[in-house]
Amino acid sequence: MPRRALRKLDPALDLSRHYRDGEALPPAFDQQALFGRTAPLEVEVGSGKGLFLAAASQHTPDHDFLGIEVSRKYARYAAARLARQNAANAILIGGDALPLFQDWFPAESLSAVHVYFPDPWWKKRHMKRRVLSEQFLRNVQRTLVRGGRLHFWTDVEEYFQTTLSLIATATDLRGPLLVPEKAAEHHLDYRTHFERRTRLAELPVYRAEFERTE
Ligand SMILES: C[S@@+](CC[C@H](N)C(=O)[O-])C[C@H]1O[C@@H](n2cnc3c(N)ncnc32)[C@H](O)[C@@H]1O
C-alpha cells in the first residue's frame, strides 16, 4: 500500500524540545541531558507518523520514549505531534537507528525496543536492507535491561517467521510471547498507522514480544 502525502507542518511550531537530528547528537548517550531525568527508556525504530510515541508517552508518563526515524520528513512530522501535545517524555531522532544501536546506546540501557511494520524489502537481493538483521537483534539483546522487551509487529508473514527464527538462533531472548489483538475503540486506537490501515483492510497482523531474561 503506498503512503499518502504528509500534511504540511505549521512553521510556527517549535520542534526544538521534540526533534534531534541524528547527525548532531552528542557522541556519548546521556538520557539526563535529553530528558532532564533518568526514567525507564523505550525506543521505537521506524516511527513513521508517530502514533505509537504520541499515545505511549501519554499513557506511560513515568517512562521516557525515543523514536528513531530515518526519513527526516516523517521524523519532523512525528515530532510536531509530540510538540502539539506538549510531551515532556518523548523525542524524535531523525536518522538511521542501526548505528545508534551499534555504538550509541550503552549495554542494558533500554526497558523496551519497539519495531512496528518495518519495511519488508521483498526482493531477495534487497533483504539485507531489513532493519531486523542478525547484528541489530544482537544489539537489541545487548541494550535491553534484564526483563526488558522487544516488541515486533508486521503484516508480512514471511518477515515475521524469518525474524522469529533469527531471534531464536542469534539471541537468548525468551519468546515469542503471545500478544492478543484488541478491538479498536476509536479511529486512533491502534498501535501505529500501519496497524490501522492493515486492520481496516481486514488483513492479518503478526505480533510477538521477546524478553531478555539473563
Ligand atoms: C513501513 S513504515 C512503518 C511506520 C510505523 N512504524 C507504522 O507502523 O506506522 C517503516 C518506517 O521505518 C523507517 N525506517 C526504515 N529503516 C530505518 C532505519 N534504519 N532507522 C530508522 N527508521 C527506519 C522508514 O522510513 C519508515 O518510516
Side-chain angles (χ1 to χ4, degrees):
M1 282 182 268
R3 294 173 101 167
R4 276 194 227 117
L6 287 177
R7 262 182 289 120
K8 274 221 164 100
L9 292 185
D10 173 0
L13 197 63
D14 176 12
L15 298 187
S16 59
R17 280 176 51 217
H18 297 97
Y19 179 79
R20 299 273 186 287
D21 195 279
E23 301 288 315
L25 291 170
F29 173 77
D30 182 348
Q31 189 178 350
Q32 180 72 37
L34 280 169
F35 292 98
R37 66 174 186 177
T38 43
L41 178 61
E42 305 199 26
V43 172
E44 184 189 26
V45 173
S47 302
K49 290 182 182 173
L51 180 59
F52 167 71
L53 283 181
S57 60
Q58 264 183 343
H59 290 152
T60 318
D62 53 340
H63 283 204
D64 290 338
F65 291 85
L66 264 183
I68 312 172
E69 170 52 60
V70 75
S71 158
R72 263 56 174 191
K73 195 172 61 170
Y74 276 86
R76 294 178 70 82
Y77 183 93
R81 188 187 279 265
L82 301 176
R84 282 196 300 271
Q85 72 184 40
N86 205 18
N89 60 335
I91 292 173
L92 243 300
I93 295 176
D96 185 352
L98 303 184
L100 297 181
F101 271 83
Q102 182 69 30
D103 299 319
W104 197 57
F105 292 117
E108 301 191 31
S109 57
L110 309 179
S111 68
V113 176
H114 302 264
V115 186
Y116 299 120
F117 301 84
D119 295 322
W121 295 108
W122 294 103
K123 290 187 183 156
K124 218 170 177 99
R125 68 175 190 281
H126 290 158
M127 280 185 181
K128 57 179 179 302
R129 298 183 192 170
R130 286 181 169 181
V131 160
L132 288 158
S133 66
E134 188 170 334
Q135 187 57 40
F136 173 73
L137 291 166
R138 289 219 173 93
N139 282 324
V140 168
Q141 170 161 295
R142 183 185 69 81
T143 51
L144 279 176
V145 296
R146 273 181 212 164
R149 287 200 173 190
L150 167 65
H151 303 251
F152 166 46
W153 297 15
T154 178
D155 55 340
V156 180
E157 188 176 10
E158 178 276 323
Y159 197 175
F160 188 70
Q161 298 301 349
T162 305
T163 303
L164 262 50
S165 304
L166 204 53
I167 290 172
T169 53
T171 78
D172 298 322
L173 296 172
R174 183 173 74 91
L177 307 170
L178 190 68
V179 183
E181 182 162 302
K182 76 174 183 63
E185 285 172 14
H186 54 80
H187 81 293
L188 285 179
D189 192 17
Y190 295 92
R191 188 62 68 108
T192 70
H193 280 91
F194 268 66
E195 191 204 11
R196 178 171 183 269
R197 65 189 228 176
T198 306
R199 298 237 333 246
L200 293 182
E202 299 186 359
L203 295 168
V205 174
Y206 306 93
R207 304 172 177 83
E209 282 180 27
F210 295 84
E211 187 184 11
R212 179 170 176 181
T213 53
E214 47 41 81

